[in-house]
């Protein structure tokens, strides 16, 4: 569970997030909104990569600070950039992070297969197309089977087939107690399997709807 | 999951840095090119065939050639090192790899150690070329004292990479990091390089371990190494975050 209270992020004169209060329970939550709404900032704060100006964020009851090793082990994050080493091959990158997270080589093969990048395993990441980099980046985020998955625009530059693989990989990762926050413009793709949808505009959460068996319920607006 | 320990994870990161460098050759060649160019320039400028203890006229008096040679040796090492250290986090800046690195479940001291060891490998490689070249151009005969020079070099390098890596992490967050790093690091590095010059001068005029050990500079180097390796490991978290 991700709990956010009174979260405010200011960059100089710009307020990126205005006092956000949000509780995201287990499941997949889509984070929607136009460019500059604050989606990426929110993900970076939850990942512990950005210190908020004020407010509190906790994951599974543990306050988010980048220094907390226990928490970092539980987070899988794929940002705007691939977060991979350009001169290493896809496999070398994934083997490196597998070693750092204690994941097995078998797991490396599994995520590459899930995201359809197995045939590019030996290619340096720097030579991959934008779509393939995105898939490799999400493979890295999924590698250690995190409890909290934070994906920033995972469908960017993907064709329909690759986008379907991306959705399937997230669905395969999904398990009780796990929570994913997926920021995307492609609302349709995430809506098809998400448990909740959050709309952010100008740094404020304007809508938070949870899918229930009897239909959508607005929990916050 | 069978998670590896601090040492194993740090070793993985060192291997990654060396592998990336082996493919990109972005760091070591500029360091070597600088060191070689300076050595060549000095070889044409200094009286290489003169006895090392012979005085050379300088404004305001005379100075022994050996002091000039050992001074230039360590100045070359210092600036070659700073050229390389400024690139410590370049590989992480590409494609946001720094985010992935910061999220790895490894204490920040492990990241510091990995980066410092990679920098140590680069500076050792430069010295591996520079020291024989200096010996050749300036007719240095260390005799049986070469192992003392290696010991001095190791002690200097430990302090140098500790300071260089720590300040490189601060400078990496600025746009003009190549300019910021020397400004931050040079004042802190003065003691270690004074000790290096003093010890090496003694060695170049035939002093062995007994001669250099009595001068107290070894103590300065060891204290500097311990202090800055500890500060680096503890402060890296605040510098990199």
């Amino acid at each position: 569970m991700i709990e956010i209270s009174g979260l405010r992020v200011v960059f100089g004169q710009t307020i990126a997030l205005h006092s956000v209060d949000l509780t995201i329970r287990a499941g997949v939550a889509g984070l929607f909104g136009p460019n500059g709404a604050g989606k990426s900032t929110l993900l970076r704060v939850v990942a512990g990569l950005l210190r908020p100006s004020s407010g509190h964020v906790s994951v599974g009851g543990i306050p988010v600070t980048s220094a907390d090793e226990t928490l970092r082990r539980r987070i899988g994050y794929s940002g705007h950039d691939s977060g991979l080493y350009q001169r290493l091959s896809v496999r070398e990158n994934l083997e490196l992070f597998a070693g750092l997270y204690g994941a097995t080589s078998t797991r490396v093969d599994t995520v590459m297969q899930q995201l359809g990048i197995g045939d590019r395993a030996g290619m340096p990441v720097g030579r991959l197309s934008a779509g393939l980099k995105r898939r490799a980046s999400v493979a890295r985020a999924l590698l250690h089977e995190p409890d909290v998955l934070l994906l920033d625009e995972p469908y960017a530059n993907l064709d329909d087939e690759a986008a379907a693989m991306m959705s399937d990989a997230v669905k395969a990762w999904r398990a009780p107690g796990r929570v994913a926050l997926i920021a995307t413009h492609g609302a349709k793709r995430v809506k098809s399997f998400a448990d909740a949808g959050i709309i952010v505009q100008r740094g404020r959460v304007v809508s938070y709807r949870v899918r229930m068996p009897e239909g959508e319920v607005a929990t916050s607006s | 999951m069978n998670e590896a320990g601090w040492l194993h994870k740090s070793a993985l990161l060192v291997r990654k840095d060396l592998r990336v460098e082996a493919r990109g050759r972005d760091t070591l060649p500029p360091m070597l090119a600088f060191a070689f160019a300076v050595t060549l320039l000095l070889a044409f400028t200094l009286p290489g065939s003169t006895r090392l203890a012979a005085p050379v006229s300088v404004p305001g008096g005379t100075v022994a050639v050996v002091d000039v040679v050992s001074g230039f040796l360590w100045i070359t090492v210092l600036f070659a090192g700073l050229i390389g250290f400024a690139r410590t986090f370049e590989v992480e800046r590409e494609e946001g790899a720094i985010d992935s690195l910061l999220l790895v479940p490894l204490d920040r001291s492990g990241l510091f150690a990995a980066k410092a060891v990679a920098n140590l490998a680069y500076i050792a490689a430069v010295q591996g070329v520079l020291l024989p070249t200096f010996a050749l151009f300036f007719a240095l005969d260390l005799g049986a004292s070469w192992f003392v020079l290696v010991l001095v070099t190791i002690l200097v390098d430990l302090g140098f990479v500790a300071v260089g890596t720590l300040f490189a992490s601060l400078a990496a967050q600025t746009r003009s990091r190549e300019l910021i790093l020397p400004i931050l690091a040079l004042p802190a590095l003065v003691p270690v390089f004074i000790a290096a010059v003093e010890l090496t001068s003694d060695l170049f005029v035939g002093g062995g371990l007994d001669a250099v050990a009595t001068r107290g500079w070894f103590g300065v180097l060891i204290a500097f190494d311990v202090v800055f390796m500890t500060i680096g490991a503890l402060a890296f978290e605040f510098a990199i975050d």
Side-chain angles (χ1 to χ4, degrees):
Chain A
M1 185 167 75
I2 301 170
E3 285 181 286
I4 301 168
S5 63
L7 179 65
R8 184 178 158 88
V9 177
V10 181
F11 298 116
Q13 302 288 313
T14 311
I15 302 174
L17 291 173
H18 295 260
S19 193
V20 172
D21 294 294
L22 206 55
T23 300
I24 306 161
R25 300 188 193 284
V28 175
L31 188 58
F32 312 118
N35 290 335
K39 306 186 296 293
S40 300
T41 303
L42 184 58
L43 288 186
R44 290 182 66 77
V45 172
V46 174
L49 291 168
L50 184 64
R51 204 162 287 163
S53 307
S54 61
H56 177 84
V57 180
S58 67
V59 170
I62 305 171
V64 168
T65 61
S66 56
D68 192 324
E69 257 183 82
T70 321
L71 183 65
R72 276 188 264 142
R73 188 176 290 111
R74 296 177 60 188
I75 291 177
Y77 170 79
S78 167
H80 265 290
D81 296 321
S82 71
L84 298 168
Y85 293 97
Q86 303 298 287
R87 293 203 172 96
L88 300 184
S89 70
V90 175
R91 177 175 288 282
E92 284 169 340
N93 265 288
L94 296 180
E95 294 276 7
L96 168 68
F97 285 100
L100 293 169
Y101 281 98
T104 61
S105 291
T106 316
R107 181 69 190 152
V108 170
D109 292 328
T110 304
V111 291
M112 283 200 296
Q113 193 183 355
Q114 281 179 333
L115 287 148
I117 50 174
D119 57 337
R120 311 295 173 106
M123 192 181 275
V125 167
R127 284 200 217 148
L128 296 179
S129 68
L132 286 166
K133 275 186 191 172
R134 184 115 311 273
R135 286 147 78 178
S137 174
V138 173
R140 179 189 47 75
L142 288 168
L143 197 56
H144 58 290
E145 301 183 86
D147 292 332
V148 177
L149 184 63
L150 306 168
L151 304 180
D152 197 352
E153 299 294 351
Y155 296 99
N157 304 304
L158 298 190
D159 56 33
D160 288 344
E161 189 187 349
M165 279 185 189
M166 182 69 72
S167 297
D168 289 343
V170 174
K171 286 182 213 167
W173 161 86
R174 184 154 60 177
R178 288 182 175 173
V179 55
L181 201 47
I182 303 176
T184 180
H185 290 110
K188 261 187 193 171
R189 284 179 171 137
V190 175
K191 268 183 179 172
S192 65
F193 66 94
D195 303 297
I198 301 162
I199 300 176
V200 183
Q201 280 179 0
R202 295 185 180 181
R204 296 179 198 276
V205 173
V206 296
S207 168
Y208 178 23
R209 288 173 177 275
V210 177
R211 195 197 303 264
M212 305 292 269
E214 61 273 21
E216 277 189 358
V217 176
T219 60
S220 162
S221 63
Chain B
M1 282 191 196
N2 183 18
E3 196 164 320
W6 184 95
L7 198 62
H8 179 71
K9 289 181 186 176
S10 301
L12 285 175
L13 291 173
V14 173
R15 192 177 69 171
K16 174 266 297 175
D17 274 345
L18 298 182
R19 188 179 270 176
V20 169
E21 174 59 21
R23 290 181 190 168
R25 299 186 195 96
D26 290 330
T27 303
L28 200 50
M31 293 169 80
L32 287 168
F34 172 82
F36 188 71
V38 171
T39 310
L40 205 59
L41 200 62
L42 291 172
F44 281 98
T45 310
L46 294 174
S49 57
T50 311
R51 282 190 309 113
L52 289 175
V56 176
S57 294
V58 294
T62 59
V63 63
V65 174
V66 65
D67 291 332
V68 179
V69 171
S70 61
F72 279 128
L73 169 67
W74 288 108
I75 286 173
T76 308
V77 169
L78 173 61
F79 284 98
L82 290 176
I83 288 171
F85 297 169
R87 297 193 54 83
T88 301
F89 292 93
E90 277 309 294
V91 68
E92 268 77 29
R93 289 175 66 87
E94 293 176 351
E95 282 284 332
I98 187 73
D99 286 347
S100 307
L101 194 65
L102 291 176
L103 285 171
V104 164
L106 170 64
D107 188 86
R108 298 294 192 237
S109 62
L111 298 183
F112 172 75
K115 284 294 181 186
V117 170
N119 280 337
L120 186 64
Y122 302 145
I123 200 69
V126 169
Q127 287 164 336
V129 176
L130 191 62
L131 290 175
T133 311
F134 255 68
L136 184 72
F137 282 166
F138 302 109
L140 303 176
D141 183 11
L142 289 167
S145 298
W146 63 267
F147 78 93
V148 187
L149 180 62
V150 171
L151 180 64
V152 170
T153 304
I154 290 169
L155 289 174
V156 171
D157 289 356
L158 290 176
F160 187 23
V161 298
V163 171
T165 306
L166 177 61
F167 286 123
S169 66
L170 284 171
Q173 295 167 43
T174 65
R175 280 186 188 170
S176 50
R177 51 199 163 277
E178 284 86 0
L179 296 175
I180 297 290
L181 177 60
I183 292 169
L184 293 173
L186 283 175
L189 288 168
V190 166
V192 80
F193 278 88
I194 288 176
V197 171
E198 291 290 339
L199 289 169
T200 315
S201 299
D202 288 348
L203 289 175
F204 286 175
V205 290
L209 182 59
D210 294 344
V212 297
T214 56
R215 296 199 54 200
W217 289 112
F218 265 122
V220 172
L221 281 182
I222 291 167
F224 187 95
D225 291 353
V226 170
V227 167
F228 274 95
M229 284 194 288
T230 307
I231 290 175
L234 295 176
F236 192 68
E237 176 180 338
F238 305 102
I240 197 77
D241 285 342

